[in-house]
């Protein structure tokens, strides 16, 4: 995913001191504050085809309400949800490479949704569904508790300026919502090319109840880039510019822990 393809580029250094995440009891939704900015843009003929012709078959809406995922896909299989898939290249590749899993993508950027739908149709994929909605609304209103095996959040906007940190999607309330939707043993996989945001993610997840970091002691809190996460165009461009990338994978851990 390249989540920032539907967001403004905020890679700046002015006013970049890190402030802490919100408290765990902060409201999940702050009216008027979003973790994304929708860019204006024209759609290509292929993207329009995806939005018009393929959407009725693969598209989902929050108004559809709570989903029975077994009925939706016609089977019981591992379920992967990706938030902010950008132009969809990585998600399509995953769905094609792993036909025994089912995938749900969430994205607000119309050209990206159209491109993914067009490509999924051309490849004949049946294990993929798409929301063009706010991810928080989808998680809260559409996906049942304990229904997700993996939730992916790759390269969300880091909102680097201190005054914008409240816009970061990774906050304690969001993480608790993710935990409630993960099945026991399910994984929350995050990736970012902004080190300060990686540290923020680790701080939030390490403090969150019900999560265990899967990293080895030698690399903790980060894991080497897993082979199953396809390289995005955004990431390849960053590599050429010498940007680092930090992956974090946390497991929904319901096992009791001994007191220190």
């Amino acid at each position: 995913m390249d989540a920032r393809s539907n967001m403004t580029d905020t890679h700046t250094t002015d006013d970049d001191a890190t402030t802490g995440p919100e408290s765990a009891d902060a409201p999940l939704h702050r009216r008027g504050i979003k973790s994304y900015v929708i860019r204006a843009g024209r759609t290509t003929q292929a993207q329009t085809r995806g939005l018009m012709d393929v959407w009725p078959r693969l598209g989902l809406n929050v108004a559809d309400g709570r989903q029975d995922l077994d009925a939706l896909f016609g089977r019981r299989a591992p379920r992967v949800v990706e938030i902010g898939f950008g132009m969809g290249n990585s998600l399509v590749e995953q769905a094609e490479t792993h036909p025994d899993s089912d995938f749900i993508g969430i994205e607000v950027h119309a050209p990206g949704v159209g491109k993914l739908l067009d490509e999924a149709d051309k490849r004949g994929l049946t294990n993929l569904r798409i929301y063009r909605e706010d991810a928080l609304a989808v998680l809260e209103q559409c996906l049942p508790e304990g229904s997700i095996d993996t939730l992916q959040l790759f390269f969300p906007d880091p909102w680097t300026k201190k005054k914008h940190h409240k816009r970061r999607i990774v906050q304690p309330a969001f993480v608790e919502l993710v935990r409630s939707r993960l099945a026991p043993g399910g994984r929350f996989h995050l990736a970012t090319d902004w080190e300060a945001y990686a540290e923020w993610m680790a701080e939030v997840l390490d403090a969150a109840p019900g999560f265990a970091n899967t990293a080895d002691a030698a690399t903790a809190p980060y894991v080497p880039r897993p082979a199953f996460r396809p390289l995005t165009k955004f990431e390849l461009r960053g590599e050429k510019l010498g940007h680092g990338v930090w992956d974090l994978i946390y497991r929904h851990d319901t096992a009791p822990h001994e007191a220190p």
Side-chain angles (χ1 to χ4, degrees):
M1 154 190 147
D2 175 1
R4 261 170 295 169
S5 66
N6 69 335
M7 302 171 185
T8 55
D9 185 358
T10 57
H11 271 70
T12 63
T13 56
D14 295 335
D15 196 19
D16 195 40
T18 299
T19 57
E22 294 183 334
S23 64
D25 58 356
L28 183 61
H29 286 285
R30 293 182 180 274
R31 295 299 96 188
I33 297 179
K34 298 289 187 181
S35 63
Y36 56 86
V37 174
I38 301 177
R39 288 191 298 106
R42 293 178 295 179
T43 56
T44 66
Q45 184 175 355
Q47 292 164 1
T48 300
R49 173 185 173 275
L51 292 169
M52 299 297 294
D53 299 341
V54 187
W55 176 265
R57 180 161 50 86
L58 300 183
L60 299 170
N61 298 294
V62 166
D64 298 333
R66 190 79 68 195
Q67 294 288 344
D68 179 336
L69 299 183
D70 290 350
L72 179 66
F73 288 100
R75 64 178 182 177
R76 179 178 291 274
R79 303 273 153 69
V80 180
V81 174
E82 182 164 320
I83 293 175
F85 56 76
M87 298 307 288
N89 297 326
S90 172
L91 186 55
V92 163
E93 183 177 338
Q94 291 179 74
E96 186 172 47
T97 304
H98 303 283
D100 294 332
S101 295
D102 293 326
F103 294 81
I104 295 175
I106 307 172
E107 175 59 66
V108 295
H109 185 47
V113 171
K115 183 177 185 298
L116 175 59
L117 290 170
D118 178 66
E119 191 63 32
D121 183 60
K122 289 176 179 177
R123 300 189 189 198
L125 300 180
T126 60
N127 62 334
L128 180 62
R129 299 293 186 275
I130 303 301
Y131 280 97
R132 185 185 167 193
E133 303 271 8
D134 186 295
L136 296 181
V138 174
L139 291 177
E140 286 184 319
Q141 302 176 41
C142 304
L143 301 181
E145 293 188 5
S147 64
I148 302 172
D149 294 283
T150 302
L151 191 138
Q152 300 176 164
L153 180 66
F154 298 156
F155 305 103
D157 195 309
W159 292 106
T160 58
K161 291 185 178 181
K162 182 171 60 177
K163 65 182 179 180
H164 291 152
H165 285 181
K166 62 182 176 290
R167 292 184 176 272
R168 288 176 169 176
I169 189 171
V170 179
Q171 302 283 354
F174 169 73
V175 169
E176 172 57 23
L177 176 60
V178 170
R179 186 204 59 78
S180 71
R181 269 47 185 174
L182 285 174
R187 298 195 170 200
F188 184 18
H189 184 182
L190 310 91
T192 179
D193 68 329
W194 194 263
E195 187 172 12
Y197 198 13
E199 294 169 353
W200 171 292
M201 291 172 170
E203 177 184 347
V204 173
L205 268 296
D206 286 343
F211 280 101
N213 195 320
T214 66
D216 293 334
T219 63
Y222 311 115
V223 299
R225 187 187 73 82
F228 57 79
R229 179 173 71 75
L231 284 170
T232 66
K233 181 179 179 181
F234 171 82
E235 188 175 358
L236 289 170
R237 183 180 64 187
E239 283 188 348
K240 294 179 180 178
L241 296 174
H243 295 172
V245 172
W246 291 266
D247 281 81
L248 304 95
I249 299 180
Y250 285 79
R251 183 180 67 250
H252 179 197
D253 185 9
T254 57
H257 294 278
E258 295 183 0

